[in-house]
Coordinates of all heavy atoms in Angstrom, one line a residue:
Chain A
E28 N -2.8 19.8 -12.4 CA -3.7 20.6 -13.1 C -5.2 20.1 -12.8 O -5.8 19.5 -13.7 CB -3.4 20.6 -14.6 CG -2.0 21.0 -14.9 CD -1.7 21.2 -16.4 OE1 -2.5 20.8 -17.3 OE2 -0.7 21.8 -16.7
E49 N -7.7 38.2 -23.7 CA -6.3 38.1 -24.4 C -5.9 36.6 -24.7 O -5.2 36.5 -25.7 CB -5.4 38.7 -23.3 CG -4.1 39.3 -24.0 CD -3.1 40.0 -23.0 OE1 -3.6 40.8 -22.2 OE2 -1.9 39.8 -23.2
I50 N -6.3 35.8 -23.9 CA -6.0 34.4 -24.1 C -6.6 34.0 -25.5 O -6.0 33.3 -26.3 CB -6.5 33.4 -23.0 CG1 -5.8 33.6 -21.7 CG2 -6.5 31.9 -23.5 CD1 -6.3 32.9 -20.5
K80 N -15.3 54.7 -12.1 CA -14.3 53.6 -12.6 C -14.9 52.3 -12.2 O -15.0 51.3 -13.0 CB -13.0 53.9 -12.1 CG -11.8 53.1 -12.9 CD -10.6 53.8 -12.5 CE -9.5 53.3 -13.6 NZ -8.2 54.1 -13.4
A149 N -5.8 36.9 -11.1 CA -6.8 37.0 -12.2 C -6.5 36.2 -13.4 O -7.4 35.7 -14.1 CB -7.0 38.5 -12.5
T150 N -5.1 36.2 -13.8 CA -4.7 35.4 -15.0 C -5.0 34.0 -14.8 O -5.4 33.3 -15.7 CB -3.2 35.8 -15.3 OG1 -3.2 37.2 -15.5 CG2 -2.8 35.1 -16.6
E151 N -4.7 33.4 -13.5 CA -4.9 32.1 -13.3 C -6.4 31.8 -13.4 O -6.8 30.7 -14.0 CB -4.5 31.8 -11.9 CG -4.7 30.3 -11.4 CD -3.4 29.4 -11.8 OE1 -2.4 29.9 -11.6 OE2 -3.6 28.3 -12.1
S154 N -7.3 31.6 -17.0 CA -7.0 30.4 -17.6 C -7.9 29.3 -17.2 O -8.3 28.5 -18.1 CB -5.5 30.0 -17.0 OG -5.2 28.7 -17.5
L158 N -10.1 26.8 -19.6 CA -9.7 25.3 -19.6 C -10.5 24.4 -18.7 O -10.6 23.2 -18.8 CB -8.2 25.0 -19.3 CG -7.1 25.9 -20.2 CD1 -5.7 25.8 -19.5 CD2 -7.2 25.2 -21.6
N163 N -1.6 25.9 -12.4 CA -0.2 26.2 -11.8 C -0.4 26.0 -10.2 O -0.1 26.9 -9.4 CB 0.1 27.7 -12.0 CG 1.4 28.1 -11.5 OD1 2.2 27.3 -10.9 ND2 1.7 29.5 -11.6
Q198 N 4.0 33.5 8.0 CA 4.3 32.7 7.0 C 4.5 31.3 7.4 O 5.0 30.5 6.6 CB 5.5 33.2 6.2 CG 6.8 33.2 7.0 CD 8.1 33.3 6.1 OE1 7.9 33.1 4.9 NE2 9.2 33.4 6.8
V377 N -11.3 51.0 0.6 CA -11.3 51.7 -0.6 C -12.8 52.3 -0.8 O -13.0 53.1 -1.7 CB -11.2 50.8 -1.8 CG1 -9.9 50.0 -1.8 CG2 -12.4 49.6 -1.8
Chain B
G20 N -5.1 49.1 -1.7 CA -6.4 48.7 -2.0 C -7.2 49.8 -2.7 O -8.1 49.5 -3.6
T25 N -8.3 50.1 -10.7 CA -7.4 50.3 -11.9 C -6.8 48.8 -12.0 O -6.1 48.3 -11.2 CB -6.3 51.3 -11.6 OG1 -6.9 52.5 -11.4 CG2 -5.3 51.3 -12.9
E61 N 11.5 38.1 4.3 CA 10.7 36.9 4.4 C 9.2 37.3 4.0 O 8.7 38.3 4.2 CB 10.5 36.3 5.8 CG 12.0 36.0 6.5 CD 12.5 34.6 6.0 OE1 11.8 34.0 5.3 OE2 13.6 34.3 6.5
E70 N -3.7 40.9 -8.4 CA -2.6 40.7 -9.4 C -1.9 42.0 -9.8 O -0.8 42.0 -10.4 CB -3.2 40.0 -10.6 CG -2.2 39.3 -11.6 CD -3.0 38.4 -12.5 OE1 -3.3 37.3 -12.2 OE2 -3.2 38.8 -13.6
S87 N 11.9 34.7 1.1 CA 10.7 33.8 0.9 C 9.6 34.7 0.3 O 9.5 35.8 0.5 CB 10.3 33.0 2.1 OG 9.7 33.9 3.1
I88 N 8.7 34.1 -0.4 CA 7.6 34.8 -1.1 C 6.3 34.0 -0.9 O 6.2 32.8 -0.9 CB 7.9 34.8 -2.6 CG1 9.2 35.6 -2.9 CG2 6.7 35.4 -3.4 CD1 9.6 35.8 -4.4
R90 N 2.7 32.5 -1.3 CA 2.3 31.6 -2.4 C 1.6 32.4 -3.5 O 1.9 32.2 -4.7 CB 1.4 30.5 -1.9 CG 0.8 29.6 -3.0 CD -0.2 28.6 -2.6 NE -1.4 29.3 -2.1 CZ -2.4 29.6 -2.9 NH1 -2.4 29.1 -4.2 NH2 -3.5 30.2 -2.5
N98 N 2.9 33.5 -13.4 CA 1.8 33.7 -14.4 C 2.0 34.8 -15.3 O 1.7 34.8 -16.5 CB 0.5 33.7 -13.7 CG 0.0 32.3 -13.1 OD1 0.7 31.2 -13.5 ND2 -0.9 32.2 -12.3
T155 N -1.7 29.0 -21.7 CA -3.1 28.5 -21.8 C -3.6 28.6 -23.3 O -4.3 27.7 -23.7 CB -4.0 29.5 -21.0 OG1 -3.6 29.5 -19.7 CG2 -5.5 29.1 -21.0
R156 N -3.1 29.5 -24.0 CA -3.6 29.7 -25.4 C -3.1 28.4 -26.1 O -3.8 27.9 -27.0 CB -2.9 30.9 -26.0 CG -3.5 31.3 -27.4 CD -2.8 32.6 -27.9 NE -3.2 33.7 -27.2 CZ -2.3 34.7 -26.9 NH1 -1.1 34.7 -27.2 NH2 -2.7 35.8 -26.2
R163 N -7.1 21.0 -25.3 CA -7.1 20.2 -24.1 C -8.1 20.6 -23.2 O -8.1 20.5 -21.9 CB -5.7 20.4 -23.4 CG -4.7 19.6 -24.0 CD -3.7 19.0 -23.0 NE -4.1 19.0 -21.7 CZ -3.2 19.2 -20.7 NH1 -1.9 19.4 -20.9 NH2 -3.6 19.3 -19.4
P165 N -11.2 20.0 -21.0 CA -11.8 18.8 -20.5 C -13.3 18.7 -20.9 O -13.9 19.7 -21.2 CB -11.7 19.0 -19.0 CG -11.6 20.4 -18.8 CD -11.0 21.0 -19.9

Side-chain angles (χ1 to χ4, degrees):
Chain A
E28 303 190 346
E49 204 178 318
I50 289 172
K80 200 163 197 172
T150 304
E151 182 87 40
S154 175
L158 303 169
N163 185 5
Q198 66 161 351
V377 301
Chain B
T25 300
E61 305 277 358
E70 199 167 277
S87 64
I88 295 180
R90 179 188 65 90
N98 293 343
T155 302
R156 193 181 287 140
R163 279 223 15 219

